[in-house]
Amino acid sequence: MADKQGVRIDAISKIYTDPKTRKPFYAVDKISLDILPGEFVTLLGPSGCGKTTTLRMIAGFESPDEGEIYIGNQPINHLTPNKRDTAMVFQSYALFPHYNVFDNVAYGLKLRGLSKEEIHDKVTRILNLVELPGMEARMTNQLSGGQQQRVALARALVVEPAVLLFDEPLSNLDAKLRITMRTEIRRIQQQLGITAVYVTHDQAEAMSISDRIVIMDKGVIAQAGTPHEIYYHPNSAFVADFIGEANFLPAKALAAEGGQIRLSIHGHEVTLPNPSGFAAGRDCQLMLRPEAAQIGHTGLLPCEVTLSTFMGAYQSYHVMVGDSLVKISDPCPINKHIFQVGDQAWLGFEPNCVHLL
Amino acid sequence: MTAHQSARLERKKLLADPVLIITIVLLTLFLLLFILYPLGMLLADSVFSTESFVAYTVAERPEDMTVTDAQGQATDRFIRQGQARKTPYYVVESTEGFQVKEELGRSTSLLYLDSVLPEGGQDTVVVVQTRQPLFTFQAFPHIFGDYTFIRALTNTLQLGVITALGGTLIGLLFAYVDTYVRVRTRLLKKLFDIVSLLPVVSPPFVLSLSMILLFGKSGLITRKVLGIYDSDVYGMWGIAIVQILTFFPVCYMMLKGLLKNIDPSMEEAARDMGASRWKVFTTVTFPLMLPGLGNAFLVTFIESVADFANPMIIGGSFDTLATTIYLRITGGSYDTQGAAAMAVVLLSLTIMMFLIQKYYLEAKTAATLTGKASRERMLITDRSVTRPLTVLCSLLSVFVIMMYVAIPFGSLFKLWGRDYSLSFRWYEQLFKQDGLKAFRDSFVLSLIASPITALLSMIISYLVVKRRFRGRGFIEFVSILAMAVPGTVLGVGFIRGFAGGVLRTGFLQGIYGTAAILVIVFVVRSLPVGTRSGISALRQIHPSIEESAYDLGAGSGKVFTSITLPLIKDSFLSGLVTTFVRSITAISAIILLVTPRYLLITTRINEFAEKGSYGVACAYATILIAIVYAAILLMNLVIKYFGTSKAVREAK
């Protein structure tokens, strides 16, 4: 395989004209991103955030209106998709229905003028890798959804592209298969050390598969970081809410000193560690994940239970702290006291599990 | 602002793809040269002429008269003398610059003398013909003052409305019975299939021939069965019946597709609320399909107005625009400018209808009928409804089929109307009189045209559906627009556009009168049909399939040949046959362009039918139908065994 290459996106924009108002708007707005060689980066965001447009600009199907894209050190803006060293796995698989599995996978190799033996070797090897050995002669309509997706993956991998692009490849599969396939994709990507850019709107998929997640919103990058960073240190309410579930409690910073911060939440004072050096006197929001919240007869903030539902793995509560709704997932309910609707209780949390915004 | 960066990059990417660029350029040139240019020439011809003349008065005889140039040299040459609007005139030709004492007017053609010269009682007029270019709109006031034109125009409109109404109504009846009524006999279903196939198979004038054979003066039914001796099928009603029978199957197919898309739950809801079946039809079904009916009406109207062959054979003295234009060009008066102006009128008529149909009604149809019916429709089983409808449809089908059956019999009877004994004399005569050559010429030319058209229309569809580039809209519009161009108009356009070479410069002059121009006309006439079917086939293919091939390293030429074409093979194959069939049965444009070097079946049929030799005409038509039917059978066979595989069809 050729030397690993990264992708550098330098302030690219895509401007479309709104069909109704006839005004231009930025579908992608001056995005910059450095993807390291061998890195698995996921573009995550709600529909219309510009993630697919960005991916299609890397592939060459769309041309950026501003900025430049590089693969390695080579600017590629002017190259057509067939001249770019990228391979895409499509949402609809986009298998060629008139070819069998072998011919589908061999398509890119034939274009590169490889000998018959080489093509045969490579196709066989890659079909083994995606765990479809012996399926060469099958037509694509004789395959299950998961198998079709493996063929699509094999077809993209076999040409050994510098960058592998995924456009929501798992969204047509059922939930169970999705989980298997994302582990598969991750395993193969790690094994080959290939640079990958992955687009999805499924946050669980993004968390489980990526080295780095780029959260996009309205054409700009809201936050980029490892799954861990994004989950525990979101830089905005949008990111916090988009990745996992989040409760927000309005708070006022009373005093900040010695790495500690004293907050007032609905009239109750709470002292927390202050790693990010939040200044005193400001209004802020305390972000609390449902699984980090605790409910008990003692705690930090008094609350009233408004909903209590048994979910099997956990008891789900909705409680009111002042006029803020807080969702709590309390694990292993079998050993615990179950609060009923109308009960008065206390909300608690580990101080290092919350995040100030 | 770098907002144009993407446009620049797209251009760059396009330029990096020489196959695509060359294809687009060649295609654009083809469309410009063979569709837009001839039509443009018609327009130019009707307002612009180099054979202009001026008129002015003199008292003396022309021998005494001199037209002088600036140096005082005589430049005139006496041509002829005559009288227009009771004014005697002399025509002289002047090739040099000349001076005129008193100018009465200018005109682009000597044919329009009477609209230039003063009313009678004046002095003798001398008309000077020059080669000065002249730009006037004279041809239009002239033809609109021309009684034959006005009559042809009103005839055409009248016929168009009657045919379109009749065709739409019968089409609606068939479509309704097919989708709403439980038909007990499988025979009727079979009849429906035959009736919907017949107009595809049949040459355009077959029904006219059989109309004459069955209902004419010595018609089998009128004379033999009914004993009527003075039956007259020639004229408007003859044409209208023939056209309705020819075009209603098209309406039937269109409306059938439409009715199938109406969700039965809507009608069931109305029934449930207490509406009678008739009430449901008038308040729910009919309003829903109104735009679709309008659509069918206009399509039939365009077909009727553009039809040349039927009015030619069975029109008698009932001239339509298409036949009048043809007669203007071939009938001795050689009024090409007048013909051009009429062609412009006919063309504007059809294009206007076409634009309304394409951009207004089609959108409206799509808006009211979205998506598929949610489930099967409960068919009407009520005898009081099914019986009369079934009987009516069967009678009509049998009538249509009988009309077609009359043709082979017409070729086998010794002398229609007198001697109904079987003989092969008409076939013998056919082969003695260059019959073989006609079949060979028609066959070979159509065979050349069909792969060209099929490939061209697939390429156009690919470009239109799958690629983005400047000029895409132009290519789509022009290749579909050709559908609205009547064959006669195209024929006149080709004569005016290529007779003296392109723009009268002599460029491509060699093409005129050769087989090449006939093949090109075949291609242009079939291109819209092929393109339309290609476009709808391609719309079914998910764009990502081609994108992934592109992404894996295939250039656009490779994508087209390795992915696109195999996926729309069926459409390509049927395009091959449709073009072949349309070409071998074409007459309207071809009859104006064909030279004695080539004999075509259709023009031969026309000749013999005009002479009254119906036996030979029928013999030609019978063999032609056989050829066409064989071609279609062959196509179905090929598609069955070599067409797109089941896998591909399922993938769609």
Side-chain angles (χ1 to χ4, degrees):
Chain A
M1 185 169 289
D3 281 345
K4 287 185 207 166
Q5 288 182 314
V7 179
R8 188 152 64 83
I9 295 172
D10 187 13
I12 57 163
S13 300
K14 183 73 196 172
I15 304 165
Y16 288 124
T17 309
D18 189 314
K20 275 187 198 137
T21 59
R22 303 222 157 260
K23 279 184 190 150
F25 74 95
Y26 280 79
V28 174
D29 193 356
K30 298 185 198 64
I31 279 185
S32 293
L33 188 64
D34 236 331
I35 299 165
L36 304 173
E39 193 181 16
F40 199 119
V41 169
T42 297
L43 305 180
L44 176 68
S47 58
C49 71
K51 56 189 192 299
T52 299
T53 310
T54 308
L55 192 78
R56 290 176 63 85
M57 283 195 278
I58 300 174
F61 297 126
E62 312 275 349
S63 299
D65 282 302
E66 296 171 355
E68 182 73 58
I69 301 173
Y70 302 84
I71 290 183
N73 289 319
Q74 193 205 0
I76 55 165
N77 266 8
H78 60 287
L79 292 178
T80 50
N82 53 331
K83 304 278 183 223
R84 295 185 184 198
D85 201 3
T86 60
M88 181 126 127
V89 180
F90 290 84
Q91 180 173 7
S92 56
Y93 320 138
L95 297 179
F96 308 133
H98 55 305
Y99 289 157
N100 61 19
V101 170
F102 182 89
D103 289 333
N104 261 287
V105 178
Y107 187 82
L109 297 176
K110 283 181 187 156
L111 289 171
R112 284 161 179 75
L114 269 62
S115 73
K116 271 211 163 121
E117 295 76 36
E118 265 182 293
I119 292 178
H120 189 265
D121 284 355
K122 282 182 185 254
V123 172
T124 313
R125 202 153 2 111
I126 213 80
L127 284 179
N128 278 325
L129 185 71
V130 297
E131 294 176 351
L132 285 176
M135 297 280 214
E136 285 87 346
R138 292 274 189 97
M139 290 310 281
T140 55
N141 64 332
Q142 296 170 314
L143 302 177
S144 70
Q147 288 172 326
Q148 290 190 29
Q149 192 52 271
R150 282 164 202 262
V151 175
L153 183 62
R155 187 179 63 180
L157 284 171
V158 80
V159 297
E160 298 172 8
V163 187
L164 203 51
L165 305 172
F166 294 92
D167 184 12
E168 310 208 15
L170 304 182
S171 55
N172 283 351
L173 299 178
D174 65 60
K176 269 216 168 120
L177 203 53
R178 256 203 309 262
I179 295 172
T180 328
M181 276 308 291
R182 73 190 187 208
T183 345
E184 282 289 277
I185 290 177
R186 178 65 172 163
R187 172 181 69 82
I188 292 165
Q189 183 265 340
Q190 296 268 289
Q191 203 170 330
L192 301 177
I194 211 164
T195 311
V197 185
Y198 191 101
V199 159
T200 183
H201 60 264
D202 181 337
Q203 46 107 0
E205 209 170 291
M207 297 286 284
S208 63
I209 211 170
S210 325
D211 291 317
R212 196 147 54 108
I213 294 178
V214 176
I215 299 210
M216 293 184 65
D217 182 31
K218 294 178 188 134
V220 297
I221 294 179
Q223 190 174 2
T226 62
H228 192 275
E229 277 168 8
I230 294 219
Y231 193 77
Y232 286 111
H233 303 287
N235 63 2
S236 66
F238 171 79
V239 174
D241 202 33
F242 196 78
I243 282 274
E245 266 194 290
N247 298 303
F248 299 99
L249 289 165
K252 193 166 174 68
L254 301 172
E257 61 216 350
Q260 298 270 308
I261 189 164
R262 201 149 50 81
L263 299 170
S264 161
I265 302 166
H266 290 300
H268 298 268
E269 286 192 17
V270 178
T271 304
L272 295 173
N274 187 16
S276 50
F278 228 83
R282 278 182 53 190
D283 286 326
C284 58
Q285 281 189 308
L286 184 77
M287 194 276 285
L288 174 64
R289 298 280 180 200
E291 74 278 6
Q294 297 155 3
I295 188 167
H297 298 292
T298 58
L300 298 169
L301 299 165
C303 62
E304 187 187 334
V305 177
T306 57
L307 187 72
S308 174
T309 316
F310 175 62
M311 303 295 288
Y314 59 93
Q315 185 78 19
S316 167
Y317 293 106
H318 285 189
V319 301
M320 297 302 292
V321 177
D323 57 358
S324 316
L325 172 72
V326 176
K327 294 174 192 164
I328 301 169
S329 306
D330 196 23
C332 300
I334 192 161
N335 295 326
K336 292 182 182 159
H337 173 76
I338 303 295
F339 291 89
Q340 300 301 331
V341 174
D343 288 354
Q344 297 298 320
W346 285 83
L347 175 70
F349 45 81
E350 297 295 330
N352 63 347
C353 285
V354 293
H355 182 71
L356 276 183
L357 287 170
Chain B
M1 187 72 177
T2 40
H4 296 296
Q5 181 179 314
S6 65
R8 209 181 59 235
L9 287 172
E10 291 291 342
R11 207 151 47 234
K12 223 176 197 170
K13 286 180 187 173
L14 202 67
L15 288 173
D17 204 338
V19 180
L20 188 66
I21 287 289
I22 292 170
T23 313
I24 292 174
V25 168
L26 287 182
L27 204 60
T28 312
L29 280 181
F30 180 88
L31 296 178
L32 276 176
L33 193 59
F34 295 118
I35 299 182
L36 283 193
Y37 162 70
L39 299 183
M41 267 318 263
L42 278 185
L43 210 62
D45 259 349
S46 54
V47 294
F48 186 82
S49 172
T50 49
E51 293 154 26
S52 56
F53 72 91
V54 291
Y56 72 103
T57 41
V58 286
E60 295 95 324
R61 293 172 51 77
E63 287 86 353
D64 309 328
M65 185 217 58
T66 49
V67 177
T68 54
D69 63 12
Q71 279 78 43
Q73 297 287 317
T75 60
D76 60 308
R77 191 165 62 84
F78 175 74
I79 295 177
R80 64 182 161 100
Q81 63 185 87
Q83 216 176 31
R85 297 165 97 183
K86 292 180 192 152
T87 305
Y89 65 84
Y90 298 94
V91 179
V92 296
E93 189 183 76
S94 165
T95 46
E96 301 287 320
F98 58 89
Q99 290 164 339
V100 176
K101 286 180 208 157
E102 186 197 344
E103 187 174 314
L104 293 174
R106 283 167 178 261
S107 176
T108 53
S109 166
L110 286 176
L111 290 161
Y112 308 147
L113 270 182
D114 43 352
S115 60
V116 179
L117 295 185
E119 197 67 51
Q122 300 280 331
D123 296 331
T124 307
V125 167
V126 172
V127 174
V128 183
Q129 195 179 9
T130 75
R131 294 282 161 189
Q132 254 183 13
L134 193 63
F135 177 87
T136 70
F137 281 99
Q138 241 160 8
F140 287 103
H142 178 73
I143 58 165
F144 277 103
D146 182 343
Y147 174 64
T148 52
F149 168 78
I150 293 297
R151 203 184 46 199
L153 182 63
T154 46
N155 281 353
T156 307
L157 291 175
Q158 205 180 349
L159 180 67
V161 170
I162 293 173
T163 300
L165 263 182
T168 310
L169 278 180
I170 299 184
L172 174 66
L173 174 74
F174 271 68
Y176 189 81
V177 171
D178 195 5
T179 42
Y180 279 76
V181 179
R182 167 153 300 161
V183 184
R184 279 191 191 248
T185 55
R186 300 185 54 180
L187 184 74
L188 193 66
K189 285 271 177 207
K190 201 93 203 145
L191 279 180
F192 274 39
D193 288 344
I194 294 174
V195 162
S196 56
L197 180 71
L198 278 175
V200 187
V201 187
S202 83
F205 32 68
V206 160
L207 285 182
S208 293
L209 274 182
S210 57
M211 190 77 183
I212 295 168
L213 292 180
L214 294 177
F215 301 100
K217 210 159 192 173
S218 49
L220 182 63
I221 292 179
T222 36
R223 185 182 281 202
K224 278 271 166 193
V225 180
L226 302 173
I228 304 169
Y229 281 79
D230 56 350
S231 151
D232 184 14
V233 287
Y234 298 92
M236 189 183 76
W237 287 106
I239 310 177
I241 291 171
V242 165
Q243 282 191 342
I244 289 172
L245 292 182
T246 312
F247 300 135
F248 91 86
V250 180
C251 298
Y252 160 49
M253 298 307 279
M254 278 175 77
L255 295 173
K256 187 169 129 183
L258 205 68
L259 283 174
K260 286 219 160 123
N261 271 342
I262 293 181
D263 192 338
S265 333
M266 283 189 275
E267 292 150 345
E268 278 165 14
R271 286 283 277 168
D272 193 42
M273 284 181 278
S276 69
R277 199 158 260 143
W278 177 247
K279 191 88 188 157
V280 170
F281 181 79
T282 54
T283 57
V284 180
T285 317
F286 189 74
L288 274 177
M289 61 185 311
L290 205 54
L293 285 172
N295 217 344
F297 180 88
L298 285 187
V299 167
T300 319
F301 184 86
I302 294 174
E303 293 265 12
S304 157
V305 166
D307 185 18
F308 168 80
N310 289 316
M312 200 65 202
I313 290 180
I314 204 174
S317 60
F318 185 84
D319 282 327
T320 64
L321 274 182
T323 54
T324 309
I325 292 169
Y326 169 75
L327 293 173
R328 270 293 151 105
I329 292 221
T330 57
S333 67
Y334 296 106
D335 177 12
T336 42
Q337 200 181 5
M342 288 185 198
V344 169
V345 172
L346 178 56
L347 182 65
S348 349
L349 193 68
T350 52
I351 287 191
M352 211 163 61
M353 296 299 163
F354 173 74
L355 292 179
I356 296 174
Q357 183 251 330
K358 175 99 188 125
Y359 292 99
Y360 180 69
L361 285 176
E362 266 188 11
K364 234 177 163 178
T365 316
T368 45
L369 297 169
T370 48
K372 280 260 170 284
S374 57
R375 54 200 188 75
E376 289 266 315
R377 172 172 280 120
M378 296 290 292
L379 295 179
I380 302 173
T381 49
D382 186 352
R383 287 255 172 119
S384 64
V385 182
T386 57
R387 278 250 175 90
L389 287 181
T390 313
V391 168
L392 194 57
C393 283
S394 310
L395 282 179
L396 275 167
S397 307
V398 168
F399 183 71
V400 171
I401 292 167
M402 184 185 71
M403 298 279 278
Y404 283 95
V405 170
I407 296 297
F409 281 109
S411 69
L412 287 172
F413 289 144
K414 208 165 207 168
L415 187 58
W416 193 276
R418 298 266 160 71
D419 183 355
Y420 287 108
S421 59
L422 295 177
S423 95
F424 280 108
R425 56 181 287 207
W426 302 122
Y427 288 94
E428 279 161 25
Q429 195 180 335
L430 180 157
F431 286 112
K432 253 184 250 156
Q433 295 179 341
D434 294 325
L436 266 183
K437 180 174 163 45
F439 280 107
R440 200 183 54 226
D441 287 352
S442 273
F443 198 83
V444 169
L445 292 178
S446 309
L447 216 54
I448 297 173
S450 76
I452 300 176
T453 317
L455 195 65
L456 214 55
S457 50
M458 292 305 119
I459 292 175
I460 293 177
S461 332
Y462 170 72
L463 291 176
V464 165
V465 179
K466 302 288 179 180
R467 303 309 300 251
R468 284 172 300 173
F469 56 92
R470 193 178 292 201
R472 183 183 68 161
F474 169 82
I475 288 182
E476 180 181 15
F477 184 73
V478 173
S479 46
I480 296 290
L481 182 80
M483 194 157 4
V485 180
T488 320
V489 173
L490 195 74
V492 181
F494 267 64
I495 292 179
R496 301 304 291 161
F498 295 102
V502 174
L503 292 172
R504 315 262 147 79
T505 56
F507 173 64
L508 279 182
Q509 187 166 21
I511 200 175
Y512 188 73
T514 63
I517 205 164
L518 300 181
V519 170
I520 290 170
V521 167
F522 286 155
V523 172
V524 170
R525 296 287 289 154
S526 298
L527 203 56
V529 187
T531 307
R532 208 170 42 170
S533 112
I535 285 179
S536 68
L538 272 178
R539 290 236 160 98
Q540 315 240 322
I541 298 175
H542 201 280
S544 65
I545 291 184
E546 273 132 345
E547 277 178 357
S548 70
Y550 198 25
D551 191 46
L552 287 169
S556 44
K558 185 77 189 168
V559 172
F560 181 75
T561 50
S562 70
I563 307 294
T564 314
L565 208 49
L567 289 181
I568 53 169
K569 206 154 52 173
D570 279 0
S571 183
F572 174 77
L573 288 174
S574 73
L576 270 180
V577 175
T578 313
T579 310
F580 176 77
V581 169
R582 280 179 69 97
S583 302
I584 207 166
T585 59
I587 183 163
S588 54
I590 273 320
I591 198 168
L592 290 163
L593 293 167
V594 71
T595 51
R597 261 167 66 198
Y598 298 96
L599 291 177
L600 297 177
I601 307 173
T602 47
T603 52
R604 296 291 276 174
I605 298 180
N606 185 49
E607 268 169 54
F608 283 109
E610 276 195 335
K611 273 192 285 185
S613 316
Y614 296 115
V616 186
C618 284
Y620 268 107
T622 308
I623 302 181
L624 183 53
I625 292 176
I627 292 177
V628 170
Y629 191 62
I632 287 173
L633 279 187
L634 189 70
M635 169 184 80
N636 288 338
L637 228 82
V638 168
I639 285 183
K640 195 167 168 197
Y641 291 105
F642 303 102
T644 17
S645 57
K646 205 167 140 246
V648 177
R649 255 174 283 139
E650 274 173 16
K652 284 175 188 169

